[in-house]
Amino acid sequence: MELVLETNNLEKKYKSFKALNHTNIHIEKGSIYGLIGKNGAGKTTLIRVICGLQAPTDGNYSIYGIDSKSKDIINARKRMGAIIEIPSIYGDMTARDNLVEQFKLVGMPSLDGIEEILKLVRLDKAGTKKAKNFSLGMKQRLGIALALASNPDFLILDEPINGLDPQGIIEIRELILKLNREKNITILISSHYLDELSKIASHYGFLDNGSIIKEISSKELEKKMEHKIELKVSKQLDFVNYFEKNKISYEVIDGNTINVYGKHNLSKFISELAKNGLVVEDIHEIEETLESYYMNLIGGDNNA
């Protein structure tokens, strides 16, 4: 497993406040990593530190295996593109002219590739229209275009769909998937839109109070979010034997709790158990979402 980004007990303090608190994150090459956390959890601070816009108070990180304290970290960052908060766009310029300036800024040897990027972000037909007159979705796509100017293979997007209408969200989603699948770009994306993240992310990191409290792949998460029935029982072994015999997917949670996975008609399921002498003390159907999983992790009713 090759890691594009790894942090090691990263800290960032502002006087007595710890915006990052022993933060450990691991982003695999080729992944779309969804960074989830409520306002003030430390998402933007983490991104700013990784991009070299702020220095960590303690700890370190590596990009493509190059330590943040090494002089070569500058070269590693050249493989990155980023949008942090609001894209830096020249409002009185066209999309193409904005890209020309960005190409010069990042030191690209020629302007080759500009038309390809414009086409990729679907701004090739914007023509002479000035960026200040773009819709919010167009501005976000232009921001991503600017982040692609240096031909990065690691892209960082901080809240890229904030404020977008449904059509704009779909356009950004399709663009992110295209960059990942066709251009092989690893993407770190922070977002409040958990339902939208669940449609694109291959991995998740849950950030709370400056610390990563859980990292999980989408496949692992799908298993945990699978429809299940939670049973409270006294004779657990009898239930286990019955589930094994009938090839029913289950998981023993503790001494008197068993989760049964898959779709079952609840009344028929209880009836079948009773016919086999299996008495259930309590039963609940659970169908978890990314949002409910996150809320259970942080243990409260905070707003993601």
Side-chain angles (χ1 to χ4, degrees):
M1 178 182 67
E2 181 180 351
L3 293 178
V4 170
L5 173 68
E6 181 177 15
T7 68
N8 180 36
N9 291 326
L10 205 60
E11 285 194 8
K12 181 61 182 177
K13 288 183 182 178
Y14 299 100
K15 295 184 179 178
S16 61
F17 173 68
K18 279 189 179 182
L20 297 177
N21 185 17
H22 295 281
T23 307
N24 296 293
I25 192 170
H26 309 81
I27 300 181
E28 296 181 26
K29 182 178 180 180
S31 65
I32 298 178
Y33 188 104
L35 183 62
I36 297 173
K38 62 182 183 290
N39 285 335
K43 300 189 301 297
T44 298
T45 300
L46 175 60
I47 289 171
R48 291 181 67 84
V49 168
I50 292 164
C51 290
L53 299 176
Q54 293 181 335
T57 307
D58 200 1
N60 66 305
Y61 59 93
S62 60
I63 302 171
Y64 285 102
I66 298 175
D67 191 273
S68 57
K69 296 176 182 177
S70 166
K71 62 181 181 180
D72 293 328
I73 194 64
I74 295 173
N75 292 325
R77 285 207 189 94
K78 290 179 180 178
R79 300 176 66 180
M80 296 169 53
I83 297 180
I84 304 174
E85 298 172 318
I86 301 172
S88 298
I89 293 171
Y90 296 105
D92 288 324
M93 290 185 179
T94 65
R96 190 182 192 283
D97 288 341
N98 265 277
L99 265 175
V100 168
E101 291 303 311
Q102 187 69 9
F103 265 54
K104 293 177 182 177
L105 184 64
V106 299
M108 295 298 284
S110 75
L111 299 181
D112 293 344
I114 285 182
E115 302 308 324
E116 181 186 353
I117 292 176
L118 286 173
K119 187 174 181 180
L120 183 64
V121 301
R122 296 176 57 196
L123 290 175
D124 51 317
K125 302 281 195 301
T128 59
K129 188 174 184 177
K130 292 183 179 180
K132 65 183 179 183
N133 297 320
F134 284 3
S135 67
L136 184 55
M138 291 174 71
K139 288 178 180 177
Q140 286 296 83
R141 282 184 278 128
L142 178 54
I144 293 176
L146 298 178
L148 295 172
S150 60
N151 194 29
D153 44 24
F154 180 31
L155 185 62
I156 298 176
L157 304 175
D158 186 19
E159 302 285 358
I161 59 175
N162 259 9
L164 297 187
D165 60 23
Q167 182 60 37
I169 290 173
I170 291 170
E171 289 173 349
I172 295 297
R173 179 208 308 161
E174 291 176 346
L175 177 56
I176 289 170
L177 289 172
K178 189 170 187 177
L179 292 172
N180 178 252
R181 293 170 181 175
E182 297 182 15
K183 301 295 183 180
N184 298 316
I185 297 176
T186 303
I187 299 172
L188 166 60
I189 174 172
S190 73
S191 180
H192 285 91
Y193 294 80
L194 303 191
D195 180 60
E196 188 60 31
L197 265 186
S198 69
K199 296 173 183 175
I200 59 174
S202 63
H203 295 75
Y204 299 94
F206 296 89
L207 189 67
D208 191 43
N209 294 321
S211 299
I212 293 288
I213 56 175
K214 182 73 174 179
E215 286 187 307
I216 191 169
S217 72
S218 59
K219 290 182 180 179
E220 292 173 308
L221 187 57
E222 282 172 13
K223 177 65 177 176
K224 289 183 177 294
M225 295 193 325
E226 187 179 352
H227 184 275
K228 61 190 176 186
I229 299 172
E230 183 185 81
L231 305 175
K232 296 291 184 181
V233 302
S234 57
K235 297 181 179 180
Q236 191 180 78
L237 184 58
D238 291 346
F239 281 84
V240 168
N241 289 335
Y242 174 79
F243 295 149
E244 289 285 347
K245 180 181 177 181
N246 291 277
K247 297 181 179 178
I248 295 173
S249 179
Y250 72 95
E251 180 183 9
V252 174
I253 304 302
D254 56 38
N256 69 336
T257 306
I258 302 176
N259 285 342
V260 175
Y261 297 97
K263 292 284 186 179
H264 296 273
N265 180 296
L266 195 57
S267 59
K268 287 183 178 179
F269 182 67
I270 295 172
S271 177
E272 284 299 317
L273 292 176
K275 286 178 184 178
N276 286 273
L278 301 170
V279 179
V280 177
E281 295 178 354
D282 195 12
I283 187 166
H284 296 283
E285 279 192 290
I286 301 171
E287 191 155 14
E288 200 161 41
T289 63
L290 178 58
E291 182 177 2
S292 63
Y293 180 82
Y294 165 67
M295 297 302 290
N296 287 334
L297 269 181
I298 65 172
D301 295 326
N302 300 296
N303 181 16

